Amino acid sequence: MAQAIHQLIELVIAHETAHVTVVDQQHRRIGTRAHAFARLQGDGTVSSGLAHVDAHERFVTRPAVQSTVLGEHVVGPDGVALVIGQVVMVLVMTMTPLHMTEHGHDLAAVGLVISGHTFGMFALSPLSGRLASRFGTPRVIAAGLAVSAAASTLAAVAPPDGGALLFVALFLLGWGWNLGFVAGSALLTEGLSGDERARLQGATDAMIWSSAAAAALGSGIVVAVASYTALGLLGALLIALPIAAMF
């Protein structure tokens, strides 16, 4: 799973770098034509030459800087934390309803557990934002990772008939994701221009949701080959990746 995520990150960055190369070549040709036209302007050569330099700065240098920024953020602690937080959440969440129904829980119990999980994912966003503002985004990201690891472990060790423990585990799993997502999104685009922010957010979202799709498919395979307990422990172990990136 970790290798697949790493390969996905490399693929996105390679795509963005190729895009920048094409833009660089196109605007170099435009700049060359503008410079040749300036030579025909006579007394307008100086101003046209300055326009050519400005065009080169805006269309060639800037995309290269954006590509560097994109790579640094996507593979940095903020980008890794967002991707891994999503993967761990989807891994455990996807298989929990099936795990519960296989061990005798009715749909009412399953619905209650998933409702608690959804509440943790979305309802506490204002609280997560306040915590990020007060204590700083890196600390809140670390807290979110710790909560997600604890939730995955709790889900792994909960007895099959332990509906209450699964409710607590899935609620904490949702809140841990929310802490990491709110704080990670704020840190990801901190200090960037509007154009840089849009490109970076798009690339990061592509990796997050692609990883989520892979996690949803992989969770069933892990449970079929091993068990739901192994799935929960795998989620807790994956948290080590963004922690290693942060420290």
Side-chain angles (χ1 to χ4, degrees), residues 100 105 109 112-113 154 158-171:
M100 293 181 67
H105 294 277
L112 182 62
V113 169
L154 184 59
D161 58 348
L165 278 179
L166 285 174
F167 177 86
V168 173
L170 268 290
F171 166 75

Side-chain angles (χ1 to χ4, degrees), residues 187-205:
L187 180 61
L188 185 73
T189 58
E190 194 173 67
L192 300 181
S193 67
D195 188 34
E196 291 170 339
R197 188 180 298 115
R199 294 186 64 191
L200 179 61
Q201 194 67 56
T204 305
D205 284 352

Side-chain angles (χ1 to χ4, degrees), residues 55-126:
H56 185 275
E57 289 293 325
R58 286 187 290 111
F59 295 117
V60 177
T61 306
R62 190 60 175 172
V65 172
Q66 288 178 340
S67 180
T68 302
V69 170
L70 179 70
E72 289 177 351
H73 280 260
V74 169
V75 299
D78 40 9
V80 174
L82 285 169
V83 172
I84 295 299
Q86 185 75 29
V87 166
V88 172
M89 188 271 291
V90 171
L91 275 176
V92 179
M93 175 195 69
T94 302
M95 285 293 105
T96 297
L98 181 61
H99 171 71
M100 293 181 67
T101 55
E102 283 187 343
H103 290 88
H105 294 277
D106 58 18
L107 291 180
V110 173
L112 182 62
V113 169
I114 297 302
S115 295
H117 175 68
T118 305
F119 183 87
M121 283 184 67
F122 302 112
L124 299 179
S125 294

